[in-house]
Amino acid sequence: IGCGTGSLELSFLAKDVQFKKLYAVDIDKESLDFLAFALDSSKLDPDKRVEVVHSSQVDVQLPENSIDVMLVLYTRLMLPSVSDPSAHRSSDFNPLFTTIKKARKPGATFHLVESKGIGTPVGTRHPGAQNYGPEVIIDWMTELGFEFTSQSELPESALGEQNYHLAFRYSN
């Protein structure tokens, strides 16, 4: 989720990473159109294992019980800004969490890569969204039945942002 133009998906195909199905999800239709064009013209995916999925911030559609590994990149989890992050404790509040709950398989892993700009607005692509930081995300994912497995700091981005990675496993 948050695939953009699909550089990660295309590199998986180019390096022959083994997978049965990969859902490339984003809210930006132009980016997804670029990815679809790249997939068609590159001939990297003759078996059509990559499915391009256009979503909105409130409706991320993935098939039930279909995900072994979910990677969410720089989406700010599409959460509205509130003064009290605990107001989001209900997982039904966030459509992305509802998607995660339905799409996960037993043993699924969830990985989040996000900027450390805690409490900062995230611009026009996610109007009104806010980054709440790793501690809040860990609480929310635990409520969904995921076990927190690790946190790591990532190298500074080209834009000077400090990023982190969180990993979780769903055991039910």
Side-chain angles (χ1 to χ4, degrees), residues 74-141:
Y74 305 109
T75 63
R76 306 304 200 261
L77 291 179
M78 298 179 274
L79 296 173
S81 176
V82 295
S83 57
D84 179 9
S86 67
H88 294 304
R89 293 196 70 79
S90 167
S91 60
D92 294 332
F93 175 83
N94 185 328
L96 178 57
F97 287 158
T98 302
T99 295
I100 293 167
K101 284 169 66 171
K102 290 190 319 191
R104 68 188 174 196
K105 286 182 177 178
T109 59
F110 176 89
H111 300 268
L112 171 79
V113 175
E114 193 58 79
S115 168
K116 284 180 125 180
I118 298 169
T120 58
V122 296
T124 57
R125 293 199 53 196
H126 305 294
Q130 176 174 328
N131 182 357
Y132 290 102
E135 298 81 13
V136 174
I137 303 306
I138 291 167
D139 285 345
W140 288 331
M141 293 303 293

Side-chain angles (χ1 to χ4, degrees), residues 23 60-68 70 98-106:
Y23 298 98
V60 180
Q61 293 292 319
L62 293 172
E64 286 188 37
N65 198 34
S66 63
I67 304 297
D68 294 308
M70 184 176 289
T98 302
T99 295
I100 293 167
K101 284 169 66 171
K102 290 190 319 191
R104 68 188 174 196
K105 286 182 177 178

